[in-house]
Amino acid sequence: MADDFQRAIEALRPQLMRYARSQLRNEAWAEDAVSETLLAALERPQAFAGQSQLKTWLVGILKHKLVDQLRRHSREATVLQSDDAEDLDPLLFDEIGHWRDVPVEWHAHPEALLGQQQFLQVLDACMDHLPAVQGRVFMMRVWLELETDEICQELAITNANLWVLLHRARLRLRDCLQANWFGSSAATA
């Protein structure tokens, strides 16, 4: 039974690594977080009560390990780059706040699209192209569901700066998804 549990956990390692890489964008940090996750699971197999899927349980542990990694490396995570300060509003909106290029209607509910593996691959690629701090802030707020105050404290940024970074990250993601998913033939495939 213990061997089966260990094999089942080890089989999920590639998926956990992919998730950790997309969140941390640092191979060594991702490897550390996944290793710590697997170690925690193997040290306390009785903690898995079977009330959820094994993968769901492991991702829950991994989320905490990702936060730990971000805390350990917070000084590296908050080095702002010129891309983080770039204001996209004038490029995307006219003087009165209307879209310069009206977004193509996406013809699908976001919940339905999230279930599509191809969409997730495009989203991962778009996340990889976000400036580092924007990507980290977006991941901490949206995927790890950390509170605003906690993110600001961890990254030593102001509340206003956090919301500006989130706004810019969302605009970049929207633009990338528009160009690489919704405006392409991939959306109909």
Side-chain angles (χ1 to χ4, degrees), residues 51-70:
Q51 295 176 345
S52 65
Q53 295 285 331
L54 180 60
K55 180 179 175 181
T56 304
W57 182 65
L58 289 172
V59 168
I61 296 170
L62 179 59
K63 283 183 177 183
H64 292 286
K65 300 302 180 184
L66 293 173
V67 170
D68 292 344
Q69 284 296 321
L70 289 170

Side-chain angles (χ1 to χ4, degrees), residues 64-115:
H64 292 286
K65 300 302 180 184
L66 293 173
V67 170
D68 292 344
Q69 284 296 321
L70 289 170
R71 285 185 178 137
R72 276 187 215 124
H73 304 288
S74 65
R75 286 195 178 116
E76 295 172 44
T78 57
V79 176
L80 294 175
Q81 299 173 349
S82 62
D83 282 351
D84 291 312
E86 182 182 350
D87 189 4
L88 296 177
D89 287 0
L91 299 173
L92 298 174
F93 305 102
D94 62 22
E95 301 76 31
I96 58 173
H98 293 111
W99 289 102
R100 290 191 184 277
D101 297 315
V102 178
V104 175
E105 189 170 329
W106 291 0
H107 298 293
H109 297 292
E111 296 83 9
L113 293 173
L114 287 175

Side-chain angles (χ1 to χ4, degrees), residues 21-23 25 121-132 173:
R21 265 190 229 107
S22 72
Q23 303 309 305
R25 298 203 286 178
Q121 290 170 347
V122 172
L123 179 60
D124 281 345
C126 289
M127 286 290 300
D128 286 344
H129 287 93
L130 285 177
L173 285 173

Side-chain angles (χ1 to χ4, degrees), residues 88-162:
L88 296 177
D89 287 0
L91 299 173
L92 298 174
F93 305 102
D94 62 22
E95 301 76 31
I96 58 173
H98 293 111
W99 289 102
R100 290 191 184 277
D101 297 315
V102 178
V104 175
E105 189 170 329
W106 291 0
H107 298 293
H109 297 292
E111 296 83 9
L113 293 173
L114 287 175
Q116 297 179 12
Q117 186 64 27
Q118 291 173 328
F119 177 77
L120 293 175
Q121 290 170 347
V122 172
L123 179 60
D124 281 345
C126 289
M127 286 290 300
D128 286 344
H129 287 93
L130 285 177
V133 176
Q134 286 179 22
R136 191 156 286 117
V137 165
F138 184 83
M139 181 270 302
M140 291 174 83
R141 180 70 179 153
V142 175
W143 283 338
L144 298 178
E145 299 175 346
L146 297 179
E147 295 296 324
T148 300
D149 293 339
E150 187 176 2
I151 297 169
C152 291
Q153 182 179 353
E154 286 300 320
L155 300 180
I157 59 176
T158 65
N159 218 7
N161 194 4
L162 170 68

